[in-house]
Amino acid sequence: MQYLVDLVVSGIAVGAIYGLVAMGFALIYKATGLVNFAQGEMAMVIAYIAWTIAGTVPGHPWLVVGGALVAALLLGLVIERLIMRPMLGEPVFATVMVTIALAVILRSLVLLVWDPYPHALDIGVGRDVIHFGGTGVRSAQVAVMATLLATCAVMWAFFRFSRIGKAMRAVAADERTAQLMGISAARIHAVAWVGSSLIAGIAGIFFALIYDVSPNLYHVGLKAFPATILGGLDSVLGSGLSGVVLGVAENLAGGYLAPSLKEITGFAVIIAVLMVRPFGLFGEREIERV
Amino acid sequence: MRSGHYKESVPSLIVLSDSTAVWVWGGILVLAMAMAPYFLNAYLLSFLVLILITGTGALGLHVLTGCTGLISLGHVGFLLLGAYAYAVPVAKFGAPPLIGFLSAGVVPALVSIVVGVPSLRLKGLYLAITTLAFAFIISHVVLSMSWLTNGARGLPVMRPELLGIDFESDARFAHLCLVVAVATLFAVLNIQRSRVGRAFVAVRDNDIAARTMGINLQAYKLRAFMTSAFISGIAGALFGIYLSFVSVEGFPFLMSIEALAILIVGGLGSTAGVVLGTVLIVLLPEVARIALGMLGPQAEMLFSTAAHELRTVLYGLVIILFLRFEPRGLVGVWRDVKRLWVNWPLRH
C-alpha cells in the first residue's frame, strides 16, 4: 500500500512537469495551429541557463529563477520573430518541419555549449524532504504540483477575462475573421510563443531541481506529447491535467508491470487514444467542409 | 528551338522519360557509379555506398511522405526493423541472405499494417506524432526481446553471399547497393506512373476529392505504408550490413530527421529531388568539415570531437533554410537553371 502511495505521489509530481510542458504545446497549437516539436528542447535550454546562473552567482534562488524566466521570454520572442514568423502562411507540413529542425538544433547546441554530463541544479531550496504520514516528498515536488494548479488557474483566467486571451481564442477559432476584427494575428502568435516558452522554462527548472540537468532533459517534451494528445491539442487546461494522469500511469506501469515499460507507457496511450478519439479526449472535433 | 512540350497520347504522358538525353546521361551515371569502386579509395567509396543506401531509404519515405502526403517521423523504426529482420535469421539462425533480404522487406511491411491501421483516421500532425511514438515503441520492443535480438548488445552481421556471388569486398558491396538503389528507383518511378501511384498523388493533393473519384482512401494509405516500409526495410538491412553490426544505437532518431531533410532539400514529391537531396545531405557534413578545416586546425578539432552534434545542427539549418527560401527544393533550382539556359536572354 505504501508502495502504491509512493508511486502515485511521485507520479503526480513528474506528471505536473509533463502537464506544464503539455500546456505549452497546447497554447501554441491553440494560437497558431501547429505543434511545436521543440517544446522539450526549450525547457532543456532554460534549465541549462538556470544551472549556469546558479553556478555563477550561488546563493540567490530568486535571481536564478528570475534570470531563467527572462531568458525564456527572450527565447520565445526570438524563435517566433526570427524563425516562425517568416513561415506564416506556409503549409503546416513546412512549419512543423521547421520546429522539428529547431528541436534538433537546440539539442545539439546544448551539447556544444555545455557538456554531456548530468548536473544537479542546486539553488539551496527544493531538496529538503517533507513527510506526509509515511510518504516523503521533496518540497520542489510539492511546489511543482502547486505551480501546475496555479498555472492552470492563470490560464483559465487569461482566456476568460484578459483582452489578449480573448483575442487568442478568436484567432484560434478563425484567424482571418479575427484579423478583420482588428486583431493582429502575428502579435497573438508572439504572445503564445512567449507564454509557452515561459511555461516550458518553469517546467525545465522544476525538472532540473527534482532530478538533474542533462542533455536528455528534452525527453520531457516527448513524455508530454501523450498528455497533449490525451487532453486534446487545443485544450490548454485539459493538457495540464492529462499530464498528471500520464505521470501516474507511467509510474504505475513502471512499478507494477516492468521498469522498462515506463518509457513507452505514454506512447502506447497516444496510439490507444488516437484510435478511439482521433482528436484527443477533450479536443474539438474538426468538421471538414468540401 | 522546341517551343513547347506537347503530349498527345496517354502513353507519352506516362512514359518514364521521352528525352533521349535523360536516358543517355542516366546510363552514363549508372555506368560511372558501377566503375567507381575500382578507382575510388576506401574512404570515398564509403560515401558512394552511404549515398546509395541512404537514397534507397529516402525513396522509401518518399513513397509515403512525398507521394501520398503522410508525414512520418517513424522512418527510423522501419529501417531498424529491416536491419533486425535481416540480422536475426541470417546471423542468429544461419538462414541464407536472400531469405534475410526477403524478411527485411516483408517484416516491416507487415508491421506497417499495425501502424497504418490506427493512422487511417489521423491526419497531418496527429499522424506525425503517432509515427514518432511508433519509432520509440519499436526500439523499445527490440531492446526488450533480447532472447531474439541480443538486446542492447546487438548482432554482428557479415557481408552476404547472394546467388553464388560473394559480396565480401567493398567494391562488390558497392555494386550490390547500386543494384538495389537503381532497382528501387525504377520501382518507385514505375509505381508513380501506374494507377496506384496516381491514386497516391490524388490522396496527397486532396483526399476528399480523391475519395469522391472512387479511390479507397484506407486501402491506398495502407498500400503506401506497406510499400514504404518494404523499401525502408531493405535499406535498413543494407545499412546494417554496411555497419557490419546491427544495434539500436546504430539507428538513432536522427535518421528520421535526415530522411525528411532529404525530401525537403530535394523537393517534396519529386523522385529526382530524392536523388539530389540524398547526395547533398550525405556529403554536407564532409563538405562542412573541409570548409571548417580551412578556418584552421582548431575548427577541425571541433569537428572531430563534436561530429554528431555539428551534423545535427547542419541538418536542422538546411531544413529551415530550404523551407524558408526554396520550398521547391533543389529540383526547383534545377528547373529554374534549365529554363534560364534554354530561354536566355528571354525570360520565358
Side-chain angles (χ1 to χ4, degrees):
Chain A
M1 188 61 208
Q2 186 57 44
Y3 185 52
L4 176 69
V5 173
D6 282 347
L7 281 179
V8 169
V9 169
S10 71
I12 293 175
V14 74
I17 296 177
Y18 298 160
L20 284 172
V21 179
M23 283 169 85
F25 278 121
L27 186 60
I28 287 184
Y29 185 84
K30 200 175 171 71
T32 66
L34 63 96
V35 174
N36 170 26
F37 276 82
Q39 200 72 26
E41 281 75 6
M42 282 158 70
M44 173 166 71
V45 170
I46 302 302
Y48 265 94
I49 290 175
W51 176 68
T52 310
I53 301 176
T56 348
V57 277
H60 294 90
W62 290 113
L63 191 69
V64 172
V65 173
L69 289 185
V70 170
L73 194 140
L74 290 178
L75 182 72
L77 265 185
V78 167
I79 290 177
E80 198 277 333
R81 193 70 195 84
L82 290 186
I83 300 175
M84 298 320 293
R85 196 173 294 183
M87 300 300 295
L88 259 182
E90 299 283 332
V92 175
F93 173 77
T95 40
V96 168
M97 274 313 296
V98 166
T99 67
I100 293 176
L102 182 68
V104 294
I105 290 179
L106 288 180
R107 223 177 278 175
S108 306
L109 279 184
V110 161
L111 280 169
L112 285 175
V113 176
W114 288 282
D115 52 35
Y117 310 107
H119 301 280
L121 174 63
D122 186 10
I123 57 173
V125 291
R127 301 215 158 238
D128 35 333
V129 179
I130 307 169
H131 286 278
F132 294 103
T135 314
V137 192
R138 282 196 185 159
S139 55
Q141 287 178 310
V142 179
V144 73
M145 297 176 205
T147 309
L148 177 70
L149 288 179
T151 316
C152 281
V154 168
M155 278 322 221
W156 179 81
F158 172 72
F159 282 119
R160 187 85 174 74
F161 299 116
S162 87
R163 202 178 152 79
I164 303 176
K166 283 182 201 162
M168 196 175 281
R169 270 164 52 205
V171 171
D174 189 334
E175 189 163 315
R176 186 166 301 172
T177 314
Q179 280 177 319
L180 289 174
M181 297 295 125
I183 297 170
S184 159
R187 190 172 301 164
I188 294 300
H189 290 184
V191 171
W193 273 90
V194 167
S196 136
S197 175
L198 280 177
I199 301 176
I202 297 173
I205 296 171
F206 272 116
F207 191 91
L209 271 179
I210 299 172
Y211 305 96
D212 51 15
V213 194
S214 79
N216 289 331
L217 208 155
Y218 72 86
H219 283 184
V220 74
L222 297 175
K223 295 287 195 65
F225 256 136
T228 324
I229 300 293
L230 188 65
L233 265 176
D234 50 1
S235 158
V236 178
L237 297 186
S239 299
L241 298 178
S242 308
V244 177
V245 175
L246 273 170
V248 174
E250 81 167 31
N251 253 17
L252 291 181
Y256 283 107
L257 300 174
S260 56
L261 267 183
K262 197 174 165 178
E263 297 300 315
I264 59 160
T265 312
F267 293 123
V269 168
I270 287 192
I271 292 183
V273 168
L274 287 181
M275 273 168 88
V276 184
R277 281 189 58 101
F279 299 101
L281 283 188
F282 306 111
E284 271 177 52
R285 194 180 185 96
E286 279 173 48
I287 299 165
E288 276 186 71
R289 294 199 169 80
V290 183
Chain B
M1 190 180 78
R2 189 156 66 169
S3 63
H5 208 74
Y6 299 113
K7 311 270 189 183
E8 285 159 347
S9 61
V10 174
S12 77
L13 255 176
I14 62 171
V15 73
L16 265 181
S17 173
D18 56 358
S19 143
T20 332
V22 169
W23 283 107
V24 170
W25 282 111
I28 292 176
L29 186 67
V30 169
L31 205 67
M33 281 198 286
M35 300 306 292
Y38 301 114
F39 298 103
L40 297 178
N41 60 27
Y43 184 63
L44 290 177
L45 186 58
S46 75
F47 279 106
L48 179 66
V49 170
L50 258 186
I51 287 177
L52 292 171
I53 297 176
T54 315
T56 313
L59 281 171
L61 186 67
H62 169 68
V63 172
L64 188 63
T65 304
C67 299
T68 323
L70 303 169
I71 308 175
S72 165
L73 288 169
H75 184 61
V76 66
F78 294 123
L79 291 174
L80 183 70
L81 263 181
Y84 269 100
Y86 174 84
V88 168
V90 174
K92 198 145 179 137
F93 300 112
L98 215 52
I99 303 285
F101 275 112
L102 192 66
S103 98
V106 172
V107 170
L110 290 180
V111 174
S112 80
I113 300 180
V114 182
V115 199
V117 168
S119 314
L120 293 177
R121 304 182 57 187
L122 306 173
K123 289 188 132 180
L125 294 174
Y126 287 95
L127 181 65
I129 295 168
T130 328
T131 49
L132 175 81
F134 157 75
F136 281 95
I137 292 177
I138 285 288
S139 64
H140 175 81
V141 168
V142 165
L143 278 178
S144 62
M145 283 168 68
S146 48
W147 50 274
L148 192 65
T149 60
N150 276 10
R153 275 171 297 141
L155 284 164
V157 191
M158 303 291 284
R159 297 271 168 91
E161 190 188 320
L162 293 172
L163 307 170
I165 309 168
D166 188 7
F167 290 99
E168 175 62 42
S169 74
D170 283 353
R172 286 283 176 77
F173 184 60
H175 283 149
L176 175 66
C177 295
L178 180 65
V179 169
V180 173
V182 171
T184 312
L185 185 64
F186 271 100
V188 170
L189 285 173
N190 277 327
I191 288 174
Q192 279 178 327
R193 64 198 191 101
S194 71
R195 181 188 164 81
V196 179
R198 288 193 296 273
F200 285 169
V201 174
V203 171
R204 173 190 73 190
D205 290 344
N206 191 329
D207 54 348
I208 297 175
R211 205 166 167 186
T212 55
M213 302 294 281
I215 291 171
N216 184 343
L217 282 188
Q218 274 131 15
Y220 277 99
K221 280 183 180 176
L222 271 189
R223 210 176 285 192
F225 256 107
M226 288 177 71
T227 317
S228 159
F230 187 92
I231 298 174
S232 309
I234 300 279
L238 280 178
F239 191 64
I241 298 170
Y242 168 75
L243 295 174
S244 68
F245 191 74
V246 175
S247 71
V248 173
E249 274 92 69
F251 294 80
F253 178 65
L254 180 64
M255 290 177 89
S256 285
I257 309 289
E258 190 185 351
L260 280 170
I262 286 173
L263 297 195
I264 288 169
V265 165
L268 202 62
S270 149
T271 313
V274 176
V275 178
L276 292 175
T278 308
V279 174
L280 189 112
I281 289 287
V282 172
L283 294 184
L284 185 69
E286 184 61 15
V287 172
R289 194 181 66 84
I290 294 169
L292 270 178
M294 286 174 188
L295 290 178
Q298 217 172 3
E300 207 173 354
M301 264 285 288
L302 180 71
F303 212 95
S304 56
T305 51
H308 187 81
E309 286 74 44
L310 283 179
R311 225 176 81 191
T312 316
V313 173
L314 276 177
Y315 290 160
L317 280 181
V318 161
I319 293 179
I320 292 183
L321 292 178
F322 263 91
L323 284 173
R324 171 86 178 79
F325 296 108
E326 189 53 85
R328 295 170 308 157
L330 288 174
V331 164
V333 177
W334 169 246
R335 279 190 200 127
D336 286 350
V337 169
K338 209 160 68 174
R339 193 172 303 136
L340 197 73
W341 178 261
V342 171
N343 296 340
W344 194 83
L346 303 171
R347 289 184 74 193
H348 297 292

